[in-house]
């Protein structure tokens, strides 16, 4: 991780983290990737740090990223009455 700081470009650092995480997911399974809750949260959170044109680095569609982010925000802002 320390080597990532040397690049100096935050967008490239985040994209690299996304690609490494996606590779780890794909290596554990065959066929369509099935993401667990933690992986969905990570991808949703990282997608907010990247501009839209860099979303092509994700293994899911932009619509899925937006849905994951909405779900993440809904959980964070849910309160009991």
């Amino acid at each position: 991780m320390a080597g990532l700081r040397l690049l100096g470009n935050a967008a490239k650092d985040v994209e690299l983290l996304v690609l490494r995480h996606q590779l780890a997911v794909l290596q554990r399974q065959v066929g369509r990737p099935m993401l667990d809750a933690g992986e969905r949260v990570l991808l949703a959170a990282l997608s907010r740090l990247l501009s839209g044109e860099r979303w092509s680095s994700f293994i899911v569609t932009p619509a899925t990223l937006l849905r994951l982010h909405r779900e993440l925000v809904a959980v964070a802002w849910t309160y009991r009455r």
Side-chain angles (χ1 to χ4, degrees), residues 7-72:
L7 296 175
N9 187 334
K12 287 183 182 180
D13 294 349
V14 172
E15 190 171 7
L16 181 59
L17 288 173
V18 169
L19 293 172
R20 285 183 178 180
H21 179 72
Q22 291 175 151
L23 179 59
V25 170
L26 291 173
Q27 286 175 334
R28 290 195 314 259
Q29 56 198 357
V30 177
R32 183 173 178 235
M34 301 302 291
L35 305 173
D36 65 26
E39 293 164 340
R40 287 191 292 265
V41 167
L42 178 64
L43 288 177
L46 290 175
S47 73
R48 304 313 299 157
L49 299 174
L50 290 176
S51 62
E53 64 265 4
R54 292 196 178 255
W55 282 8
S56 63
S57 63
F58 287 92
I59 59 175
V60 295
T61 65
T64 302
L65 286 171
L66 293 172
R67 180 181 52 80
L68 296 174
H69 186 260
R70 279 192 308 272
E71 292 171 1
L72 178 64

